[in-house]
Amino acid sequence: MLTSVQKEILQSLINLYRKSKCTSVKCENIAQLMGRNSGTIRNQMQSLRSLGLVKGVPGPRGGYKPTLEAYHTLNIQDDPCEIHVPIYVNGTSIPDISVNKIEFNSILKPGDCEATISVLGDIKQLDLDDEIKIGPTPVNNLTVTGTIVGRDDVDNVLLLKTDSIQSVPNIKIKDIATTDVITINPEDNIADVAELLISNEIKGAPVVNNGKIMGIVMFKEIVKMISEKVFEIRAKSFMDSHVITASDNISLMRAMDMMYQNNLSLMVLLDENDEISGVVSFTDILERLVIA
């Protein structure tokens, strides 16, 4: 059983090891982080080494590295040099800390839900009542927001009163895309385009000429033209030529980010041969999230 001082030293070593991009850490650096004497840290390191929790690295650039057993002892499941789960505090990203584990203490009353967050990094820079956002996490794209209501500096744990818990399904965008793609000819007049969209019950479609994507026409553009009493105009003249395409193999999370960053209502998907394989709209994404 480790003492509280040994646990704090081991946690500080892992934090500094991660921050230094997995290079050995000197006792002086650990002592500075903890506000303790470096001689005390050095003595404790010998005990931790005998327990198989740290290993020494000789040489002028040497120091100590945590072993896999150290991660297991502190209930850290993954190598922190490989995975980074971001934390935002009061709207600002904190790049030198990451999340290792999230445990929900209660989910029966969402308004009173609390979460225990195991953190990699120096949590002393975080204060009670800070607004915090965690994620998205790998695999399940979980995002948690809330307020810090407790902090344990020895075990590097935060207690969070949650405001919201969100998760995006880990699926490919092609899984929710419309694969029977309706296309518009750039020479089609506005009446023909309107009839095409209405008859197929869609809100938009790509404009394609000889296999090349020229633009996107959304139904709202047709409404705009009609409101301006423009009845004789071809698709090529009112289409949106700002076309963003994506591989149909990207994740739903990645597709959402692309559509948001580029302010897209409809995105065209391409297969491995760069041919149109589907289209996806924000409505498609919202419907999938509702039933997730």
Side-chain angles (χ1 to χ4, degrees):
M1 179 70 68
L2 297 180
T3 67
S4 60
V5 173
Q6 289 174 327
K7 289 175 68 176
E8 188 175 0
I9 290 173
L10 197 58
Q11 185 68 65
S12 297
L13 171 63
I14 290 175
N15 292 342
L16 290 171
Y17 181 63
R18 174 181 171 274
K19 189 175 182 179
S20 66
K21 301 187 184 301
C22 299
T23 59
S24 58
V25 178
K26 296 184 180 298
C27 290
E28 290 77 9
N29 299 124
I30 298 174
Q32 183 178 10
L33 178 63
M34 294 178 58
R36 291 180 176 269
N37 183 278
S38 59
T40 301
I41 304 300
R42 196 170 288 107
N43 290 336
Q44 292 291 340
M45 277 298 185
Q46 298 306 314
S47 299
L48 293 173
R49 188 172 182 176
S50 65
L51 293 171
L53 299 176
V54 302
K55 58 182 178 181
V57 179
R61 295 186 179 181
Y64 290 93
K65 292 183 178 182
T67 64
L68 288 177
E69 186 61 30
Y71 297 134
H72 297 159
T73 300
L74 296 180
N75 293 318
I76 298 174
Q77 302 299 321
D78 300 299
D79 185 344
C81 295
E82 299 297 329
I83 297 176
H84 178 75
V85 179
I87 294 181
Y88 301 84
V89 176
N90 300 322
T92 302
S93 174
I94 310 297
D96 58 344
I97 60 177
S98 178
V99 174
N100 175 61
K101 184 189 295 184
I102 302 174
E103 295 180 333
F104 295 103
N105 305 335
S106 171
I107 58 174
L108 297 180
K109 298 180 180 180
D112 299 324
C113 182
E114 290 185 344
T116 301
I117 313 297
S118 175
V119 179
L120 301 169
D122 180 16
I123 65 172
K124 294 183 178 68
Q125 58 188 301
L126 309 180
D127 296 317
L128 299 184
D129 297 326
D130 277 347
E131 299 293 326
I132 188 170
K133 173 186 172 184
I134 296 168
T137 62
V139 183
N140 56 11
N141 297 308
L142 181 71
T143 300
V144 180
T145 60
T147 305
I148 298 175
V149 294
R151 192 184 80 190
D152 184 339
D153 294 342
V154 175
D155 290 330
N156 243 48
V157 169
L158 299 172
L159 182 63
L160 187 70
K161 186 179 188 305
T162 63
D163 294 328
S164 68
I165 303 170
Q166 301 172 322
S167 180
V168 177
N170 185 34
I171 60 175
K172 302 295 185 183
I173 190 60
K174 62 184 177 183
D175 294 336
I176 67 169
T178 299
T179 56
D180 185 15
V181 182
I182 303 298
T183 62
I184 298 170
N185 188 289
E187 297 298 329
D188 289 345
N189 63 46
I190 190 170
D192 293 334
V193 174
E195 181 180 358
L196 182 68
L197 297 185
I198 292 172
S199 62
N200 287 280
E201 299 182 346
I202 55 178
K203 296 181 179 179
V207 179
V208 178
N209 185 31
N210 294 325
K212 181 180 179 181
I213 305 172
M214 309 295 294
I216 298 286
V217 168
M218 300 300 295
F219 197 79
K220 62 181 180 181
E221 294 301 324
I222 296 175
V223 174
K224 179 182 177 181
M225 292 294 102
I226 294 175
S227 68
E228 295 174 355
K229 301 188 184 305
V230 179
F231 304 112
E232 295 297 330
I233 187 172
R234 301 188 183 279
K236 63 182 180 182
S237 299
F238 66 91
M239 69 182 184
D240 182 0
S241 58
H242 175 60
V243 181
I244 301 294
T245 61
S247 166
D248 59 13
N249 205 40
I250 65 172
S251 68
L252 173 58
M253 187 72 179
R254 174 62 178 147
M256 290 172 59
D257 182 63
M258 288 182 66
M259 294 184 72
Y260 174 76
Q261 295 296 334
N262 293 282
N263 193 28
L264 301 179
S265 298
L266 189 75
M267 187 163 67
V268 180
L269 304 179
L270 305 178
D271 61 19
E272 58 186 8
N273 298 316
D274 288 334
E275 296 181 353
I276 297 176
S277 61
V279 293
V280 66
S281 68
F282 252 128
T283 301
D284 297 327
I285 292 175
L286 289 174
E287 287 179 351
R288 181 61 182 86
L289 293 179
V290 168
I291 65 173

